[in-house]
Amino acid sequence: MTASHAPAPRVLVLAELRRELRAWQAMNTQAERLHLTEARMQNAWTWRELLAHLTAWQEVTLARLRAAPDGAGLTYPAWAGGQNPDGQDLNAVNARIQAAARGQSWPQSHAAWERGFAEVLERAQALSEDDLTRPRDWLDGYTLLDVLRGTLTHHREEHRLGAQRWLGSQAGRAPSR
C-alpha cells in the first residue's frame, strides 16, 4: 500500500477505539458472568474499581475533546482538583479516583464507563482530520489525536492486557456469589 492509499490517522484511531471498546465489553461481560466484579485482582483492585479508574481518565480525555478546537472552557474533573492530572503524583491521583468511586455499585461503574467510552467515540467521530492532527498550544503542543492515542494506551497496554490475563486465570473457577 502506498502512502497515498494509507488510511488517515483519524480513520485508524477510530477503528482502534471501536476494537478496544468491544474487547472491554467482552471482558466486562465475562467478569460479570463469572461474578468477578468484586474479586480482588493482582493489583488489589476489583474489576469495578478498575472500570472506575478507566472512567475517571476518560473524563480527562472528554474534558479535552469537549474543549476542542480552541481549548475554551477546558475544565478538568473534580477528582483532579480541576487541574490537569498528567503532572500530578500518580499514586495520589489514583487514590483520589478510588475515593471518588467508593460506594459505586458494579452497574453504576459499568454504565459510567460505557457512557464515557461512547462519548469519547462520538466526539472523536465529530472532529475532522485537521481538528485531530493540529498541535494545540492548550495541550502543550500535543494533538487531539495524541489524546485519543493516550486513552487507547491507557486502556489497552496499561490495563487490558493484565486484566485479560487475570480474567483468563479465573475462567475455570466456579463463579463466586
Side-chain angles (χ1 to χ4, degrees):
M1 185 180 288
T2 64
S4 62
H5 293 96
R10 179 181 175 279
V11 171
L12 293 173
V13 79
L14 289 171
E16 284 185 68
L17 283 165
R18 286 185 200 99
R19 279 192 298 276
E20 195 64 21
L21 173 62
R22 286 190 303 273
W24 277 96
Q25 286 171 325
M27 291 189 321
N28 291 337
T29 297
Q30 184 178 7
E32 189 170 24
R33 182 177 46 78
L34 294 173
H35 305 283
L36 294 171
T37 59
E38 295 301 325
R40 295 272 165 212
M41 296 186 292
Q42 68 274 11
N43 63 2
W45 284 352
T46 66
W47 199 270
R48 176 188 51 79
E49 291 167 335
L50 173 58
L51 278 192
H53 170 85
L54 292 172
T55 300
W57 284 99
Q58 282 174 354
E59 291 172 357
V60 174
T61 296
L62 286 168
R64 293 168 176 161
L65 292 174
R66 288 174 185 144
D70 61 4
L74 177 62
T75 306
Y76 286 107
W79 61 260
Q83 303 295 312
N84 182 351
D86 287 339
Q88 297 179 28
D89 174 76
L90 191 56
N91 290 327
V93 166
N94 285 335
R96 286 197 310 270
I97 289 169
Q98 291 306 309
R102 198 165 284 121
Q104 277 186 350
S105 67
W106 162 249
Q108 290 169 319
S109 292
H110 184 222
W113 176 84
E114 285 272 351
R115 278 191 311 273
F117 211 116
E119 187 178 347
V120 167
L121 262 171
E122 179 183 314
R123 289 187 177 273
Q125 287 172 199
L127 294 168
S128 70
E129 189 77 26
D130 182 62
D131 285 336
L132 285 173
T133 58
R134 188 170 0 110
R136 310 291 175 158
D137 290 341
W138 56 275
L139 290 173
D140 298 324
Y142 288 100
T143 68
L144 291 168
L145 189 65
D146 294 326
V147 170
L148 293 172
R149 286 178 175 147
T151 293
L152 281 164
T153 297
H154 188 231
H155 269 75
R156 179 177 46 224
E157 296 169 23
E158 294 181 32
H159 294 291
R160 179 166 50 94
L161 301 178
Q164 277 178 320
R165 279 191 299 276
W166 179 82
L167 198 54
S169 74
Q170 305 300 306
R173 296 184 178 184
S176 58
R177 296 214 187 247

